[in-house]
Tab-separated table of all heavy atoms in Angstrom:
chain	number	residue	atom	x	y	z
A	295	TRP	N	-29.036	-32.750	-1.808
A	295	TRP	CA	-28.316	-33.740	-2.607
A	295	TRP	C	-27.348	-34.558	-1.755
A	295	TRP	O	-27.136	-35.740	-2.019
A	295	TRP	CB	-27.564	-33.036	-3.735
A	295	TRP	CG	-28.480	-32.554	-4.826
A	295	TRP	CD1	-29.733	-33.026	-5.106
A	295	TRP	CD2	-28.224	-31.521	-5.773
A	295	TRP	NE1	-30.277	-32.338	-6.169
A	295	TRP	CE2	-29.367	-31.419	-6.615
A	295	TRP	CE3	-27.149	-30.680	-6.023
A	295	TRP	CZ2	-29.452	-30.507	-7.642
A	295	TRP	CZ3	-27.231	-29.767	-7.067
A	295	TRP	CH2	-28.368	-29.683	-7.860
A	296	ALA	N	-26.772	-33.948	-0.741
A	296	ALA	CA	-25.863	-34.689	0.130
A	296	ALA	C	-26.623	-35.761	0.898
A	296	ALA	O	-26.123	-36.884	1.084
A	296	ALA	CB	-25.162	-33.735	1.098
A	297	ASP	N	-27.825	-35.436	1.350
A	297	ASP	CA	-28.642	-36.427	2.069
A	297	ASP	C	-29.017	-37.596	1.171
A	297	ASP	O	-29.209	-38.728	1.650
A	297	ASP	CB	-29.917	-35.764	2.599
A	297	ASP	CG	-29.642	-34.907	3.826
A	297	ASP	OD1	-28.532	-35.029	4.390
A	297	ASP	OD2	-30.528	-34.113	4.210
A	298	GLN	N	-29.127	-37.346	-0.120
A	298	GLN	CA	-29.486	-38.401	-1.066
A	298	GLN	C	-28.268	-39.168	-1.581
A	298	GLN	O	-28.411	-40.081	-2.392
A	298	GLN	CB	-30.251	-37.798	-2.243
A	298	GLN	CG	-31.594	-37.191	-1.837
A	298	GLN	CD	-32.324	-36.541	-3.003
A	298	GLN	OE1	-31.825	-36.512	-4.135
A	298	GLN	NE2	-33.514	-36.015	-2.746
A	299	GLY	N	-27.069	-38.760	-1.125
A	299	GLY	CA	-25.856	-39.473	-1.498
A	299	GLY	C	-25.401	-39.233	-2.926
A	299	GLY	O	-24.653	-40.057	-3.489
A	300	LYS	N	-25.793	-38.133	-3.506
A	300	LYS	CA	-25.406	-37.829	-4.885
A	300	LYS	C	-24.088	-37.060	-4.889
A	300	LYS	O	-24.055	-35.824	-4.960
A	300	LYS	CB	-26.510	-37.038	-5.582
A	300	LYS	CG	-27.833	-37.797	-5.686
A	300	LYS	CD	-28.888	-36.968	-6.399
A	300	LYS	CE	-30.190	-37.742	-6.536
A	300	LYS	NZ	-31.241	-36.952	-7.233
A	301	ALA	N	-22.984	-37.791	-4.815
A	301	ALA	CA	-21.662	-37.175	-4.648
A	301	ALA	C	-21.280	-36.295	-5.836
A	301	ALA	O	-20.735	-35.201	-5.656
A	301	ALA	CB	-20.616	-38.270	-4.447
A	302	LYS	N	-21.545	-36.755	-7.039
A	302	LYS	CA	-21.165	-35.977	-8.221
A	302	LYS	C	-21.950	-34.677	-8.303
A	302	LYS	O	-21.404	-33.630	-8.676
A	302	LYS	CB	-21.376	-36.812	-9.486
A	302	LYS	CG	-20.403	-37.981	-9.616
A	302	LYS	CD	-20.591	-38.687	-10.951
A	302	LYS	CE	-19.580	-39.811	-11.107
A	302	LYS	NZ	-19.738	-40.525	-12.404
A	303	VAL	N	-23.223	-34.742	-7.950
A	303	VAL	CA	-24.050	-33.543	-7.997
A	303	VAL	C	-23.610	-32.564	-6.909
A	303	VAL	O	-23.587	-31.347	-7.125
A	303	VAL	CB	-25.538	-33.903	-7.828
A	303	VAL	CG1	-26.400	-32.648	-7.917
A	303	VAL	CG2	-25.969	-34.897	-8.880
A	304	VAL	N	-23.247	-33.093	-5.740
A	304	VAL	CA	-22.751	-32.236	-4.661
A	304	VAL	C	-21.448	-31.559	-5.075
A	304	VAL	O	-21.229	-30.367	-4.793
A	304	VAL	CB	-22.548	-33.059	-3.370
A	304	VAL	CG1	-21.800	-32.238	-2.318
A	304	VAL	CG2	-23.888	-33.519	-2.817
A	305	ALA	N	-20.559	-32.305	-5.751
A	305	ALA	CA	-19.308	-31.714	-6.232
A	305	ALA	C	-19.585	-30.602	-7.232
A	305	ALA	O	-18.917	-29.550	-7.214
A	305	ALA	CB	-18.438	-32.791	-6.879
A	306	PHE	N	-20.576	-30.801	-8.082
A	306	PHE	CA	-20.959	-29.758	-9.034
A	306	PHE	C	-21.495	-28.534	-8.289
A	306	PHE	O	-21.190	-27.386	-8.648
A	306	PHE	CB	-22.014	-30.297	-9.999
A	306	PHE	CG	-22.604	-29.259	-10.907
A	306	PHE	CD1	-21.875	-28.742	-11.970
A	306	PHE	CD2	-23.894	-28.775	-10.687
A	306	PHE	CE1	-22.418	-27.778	-12.809
A	306	PHE	CE2	-24.442	-27.817	-11.510
A	306	PHE	CZ	-23.704	-27.308	-12.581
A	307	ALA	N	-22.289	-28.762	-7.250
A	307	ALA	CA	-22.828	-27.659	-6.452
A	307	ALA	C	-21.699	-26.876	-5.783
A	307	ALA	O	-21.777	-25.645	-5.670
A	307	ALA	CB	-23.799	-28.190	-5.399
A	308	GLN	N	-20.661	-27.571	-5.352
A	308	GLN	CA	-19.503	-26.886	-4.786
A	308	GLN	C	-18.844	-25.962	-5.805
A	308	GLN	O	-18.470	-24.829	-5.491
A	308	GLN	CB	-18.474	-27.904	-4.282
A	308	GLN	CG	-18.725	-28.417	-2.884
A	308	GLN	CD	-17.555	-29.229	-2.384
A	308	GLN	OE1	-17.370	-30.384	-2.782
A	308	GLN	NE2	-16.766	-28.654	-1.512
Side-chain angles (χ1 to χ4, degrees):
W295 287 338
D297 284 347
Q298 296 178 359
K300 298 181 178 180
K302 291 185 177 180
V303 182
V304 170
F306 173 74
Q308 275 189 284

